[in-house]
Amino acid sequence: MKKSTPLIIFLIIIIFNAISLFSSLSINDSVLLINFYVNLFTLDLMLLVVLFLFYKYKVSIFDPVVFILTIYILMFIVTPIYDILNNKILWFGVNLFKYGVKGTLIALLGFCGFIFGYFITYKYKPNSIIGEKIYSGKVYQYKNNEAIIISVVGWIGCLIISMIYFYLNMGFNIVYILGMGFYGNIDKSITSDIALGSLYIFSYSLLPFSLVYLKIGKSKILKVVMFWMTLAVHFTMGFRFIILTYLAGIIIMYLISNNKKVKLRYIIIGLFISILLIGLLEVVRGDIRRGSGATLDMFSFKNSVESVFYNFRIYKTYYGVIKAVPNQVPYMYFDQMLIYTLVMLIPRGIWPGKPGATGIEAMRVGISEYAAAAGQAYPNLGEFYYSFGILGVVFFMFIYGRIAYYFKNKFLDRKNDIMNIMIYSLFLPANLQLLIRGYLPSNLYFVLFLLLPIVVIKKITRVSVSN
């Protein structure tokens, strides 16, 4: 962080506060006004703490704490301010801001837990900063030919499994997927008596196998095919977080492996493209899934920005959890985070009586029957609070901070190892999903299938170590 950066950011904070306070003059509801002031004060406090710690420890732009706290603050603090100022109050027809102040203060405690967990053993390594001398520790070498074979075979295997899932569950054929839903048709007569939902998880591993080949593979044509097919599979399903993880992972891998400095204009361009991509998927994914033919009539930058805020509005579901738990709905404890995580991947064809997903009751009581029926999710704080209350939020955010620091210390600070770079390049953007969707049974397997293929290739193909 340059010496002038804190001053610039501090000036931006002052300007933002001035504009927000002026805009708040139009707020007539006392509950909303209190929420506004509490969120604005909390935002200032968080940003000042972040500025101090980042400047003190010389935090790199690629440190996970930068990305994680950016998403965290945008979701729990900035978006509520935006919604109050723009009168976007209701969520499934319900006003939940009565519980907003408590939600914001709990989010502040979670922020403190994460900060403490991350920085408690933080060690600044000047030779690990992007643009300077790279880490001077052990250098691992790999059998590239073996790594290439494993990545191609693994990618093909996961693609076949994904295609089976798409065809038998949704009627998608190869033409429809290659055309990303804009070309071809789906076969709505296709049905399967076997529950194959868990097969979709293998599509996550298309990302790491593809990333390995993109970095060390030799055939440009195969690289294009793997990239396009990986992108097409997830675009057809409309899962934005996977596409963003994949594209961001490729860019991060390039920047870190080539020791590139990240300039502000590139960050702005990247954010602009990400917003457009989110907006595009918001417009077309419903039509693609239904096979009715995607159109771009509603696509615009303004609608894309609104789509981004809509995804961050999941904080309102978190408010709904606070409303219901524990006064009307008891804590889950480990029912979801441990027990259902263990049984989630067991197919219903093997276990017909497998229980359904837990953690829905708070949605029914805290928001509405419709929200529960729609499978409305909550962010990570919602799961932590639903499980163990305020102490659960602080404790699990502390653990999250420790995990984030582990990845920084284990992979980012040892980036002369190409496999470490690949693992870290996927882990960093994957945190978007871990923050905005608090559902450990799904998130754990997402991370495992995202990172384990590279870990396995690393173990199998490593041949020597030098200093």
Side-chain angles (χ1 to χ4, degrees):
M1 183 181 289
K2 296 180 180 179
K3 292 183 178 180
S4 61
T5 302
L7 178 60
I8 295 173
I9 297 177
F10 187 69
L11 290 174
I12 293 174
I13 293 173
I14 293 176
I15 294 172
F16 178 83
N17 274 265
I19 295 174
S20 298
L21 288 170
F22 178 77
S23 301
S24 71
L25 297 176
S26 61
I27 302 174
N28 297 318
D29 188 295
S30 60
V31 173
L32 295 179
L33 195 60
I34 293 172
N35 270 271
F36 171 82
Y37 287 132
V38 170
N39 275 286
L40 190 61
F41 173 78
T42 304
L43 175 63
D44 291 340
L45 182 60
M46 286 182 173
L47 291 179
L48 290 174
V49 170
V50 166
L51 274 177
F52 170 76
L53 291 173
F54 285 12
Y55 185 74
K56 177 181 179 181
Y57 292 106
K58 310 297 187 215
V59 170
S60 160
I61 187 68
F62 285 112
D63 274 31
V65 68
V66 176
F67 182 81
I68 291 172
L69 289 184
T70 297
I71 301 300
Y72 189 93
I73 293 173
L74 281 174
M75 178 165 54
F76 291 110
I77 311 299
V78 175
T79 304
I81 293 175
Y82 173 86
D83 284 349
I84 291 171
L85 294 178
N86 290 275
N87 197 34
K88 296 184 181 296
I89 308 303
L90 301 182
W91 191 239
F92 288 89
V94 181
N95 184 348
L96 296 162
F97 275 93
K98 180 180 177 181
Y99 308 91
V101 170
K102 182 177 180 180
T104 299
L105 295 179
I106 293 174
L108 177 60
L109 292 175
F111 168 86
C112 294
F114 180 85
I115 286 289
F116 186 67
Y118 189 85
F119 284 103
I120 188 173
T121 54
Y122 189 96
K123 295 179 181 179
Y124 167 54
K125 300 177 181 179
N127 59 354
S128 70
I129 299 299
I130 300 299
E132 300 182 16
K133 185 179 179 182
I134 63 173
Y135 179 77
S136 58
K138 295 180 179 179
V139 179
Y140 292 97
Q141 296 179 355
Y142 301 93
K143 298 177 181 177
N144 281 359
N145 289 336
E146 289 187 10
I148 289 171
I149 293 172
I150 295 173
S151 66
V152 172
V153 172
W155 183 85
I156 292 174
C158 290
L159 181 65
I160 292 173
I161 294 173
S162 300
M163 290 300 178
I164 293 173
Y165 164 80
F166 281 132
Y167 188 66
L168 294 182
N169 284 267
M170 309 182 75
F172 293 0
N173 56 33
I174 186 68
V175 175
Y176 192 76
I177 293 173
L178 278 173
M180 291 187 171
F182 289 91
Y183 301 99
N185 299 298
I186 66 173
D187 188 346
K188 296 182 179 180
S189 67
I190 295 296
T191 59
S192 174
D193 296 329
I194 303 174
L196 299 173
S198 59
L199 290 183
Y200 179 71
I201 204 168
F202 285 91
S203 69
Y204 297 152
S205 292
L206 293 173
L207 277 65
F209 285 128
S210 170
L211 204 66
V212 171
Y213 193 83
L214 289 177
K215 183 60 182 178
I216 64 175
K218 300 175 181 178
S219 171
K220 292 182 179 180
I221 294 177
L222 186 53
K223 287 182 180 181
V224 171
V225 170
M226 292 177 74
F227 172 78
W228 181 259
M229 285 299 297
T230 301
L231 200 62
V233 164
H234 296 293
F235 189 94
T236 306
M237 279 300 296
F239 286 156
R240 291 161 290 192
F241 75 94
I242 305 178
I243 295 174
L244 290 173
T245 298
Y246 184 48
L247 297 178
I250 293 172
I251 295 171
I252 293 169
M253 179 178 68
Y254 168 78
L255 293 172
I256 295 179
S257 62
N258 291 283
N259 207 35
K260 297 286 186 179
K261 286 187 176 181
V262 182
K263 297 181 180 180
L264 179 60
R265 64 176 178 270
Y266 295 140
I267 295 177
I268 295 174
I269 293 172
L271 289 174
F272 181 78
I273 295 173
S274 297
I275 291 171
L276 289 178
L277 180 59
I278 291 171
L280 174 64
L281 283 167
E282 184 69 29
V283 169
V284 303
R285 65 176 183 164
D287 290 336
I288 291 175
R289 289 177 178 178
R290 289 188 297 269
S292 57
T295 63
L296 302 178
D297 295 342
M298 298 297 295
F299 178 64
S300 69
F301 182 73
K302 180 181 179 181
N303 289 340
S304 296
V305 171
E306 184 58 30
S307 295
V308 173
F309 277 109
Y310 181 81
N311 280 275
F312 284 144
R313 286 194 182 106
I314 198 171
Y315 76 85
K316 294 178 181 178
T317 312
Y318 159 65
Y319 290 173
V321 172
I322 291 176
K323 172 186 175 182
V325 180
N327 295 328
Q328 298 168 280
V329 178
Y331 294 122
M332 290 189 295
Y333 300 108
F334 284 113
D335 285 354
Q336 177 168 291
M337 297 181 70
L338 178 61
I339 297 175
Y340 200 74
T341 298
L342 295 176
V343 305
M344 179 182 175
L345 287 187
I346 301 176
R348 291 192 181 276
I350 298 176
W351 185 8
K354 187 178 77 170
T358 55
I360 301 298
E361 184 64 13
M363 301 301 94
R364 185 186 66 80
V365 175
I367 305 177
S368 67
E369 291 279 1
Y370 178 67
Q376 178 59 38
Y378 33 71
N380 66 335
L381 292 194
E383 182 176 50
F384 299 157
Y385 182 83
Y386 198 169
S387 298
F388 292 97
I390 296 175
L391 291 179
V393 170
V394 177
F395 174 76
F396 287 113
M397 284 303 294
F398 171 83
I399 297 300
Y400 192 8
R402 297 306 302 149
I403 293 172
Y405 179 74
Y406 168 82
F407 273 87
K408 173 203 176 299
N409 186 58
K410 179 73 174 180
F411 301 106
L412 179 62
D413 289 343
R414 304 179 184 184
K415 58 179 175 290
N416 51 356
D417 185 325
I418 188 58
M419 295 295 173
N420 283 349
I421 294 175
M422 294 179 193
I423 292 171
Y424 188 79
S425 297
L426 289 175
F427 163 76
L428 185 59
N431 282 278
L432 174 64
Q433 174 70 2
L434 303 184
L435 285 162
I436 67 175
R437 293 294 183 270
Y439 190 54
L440 186 62
S442 175
N443 287 341
L444 178 63
Y445 294 115
F446 166 57
V447 173
L448 287 177
F449 278 73
L450 189 69
L451 303 182
L452 272 182
I454 303 178
V455 173
V456 171
I457 292 174
K458 179 178 180 178
K459 296 294 184 182
I460 293 176
T461 63
R462 188 171 63 191
V463 293
S464 65
V465 178
S466 60
N467 292 316

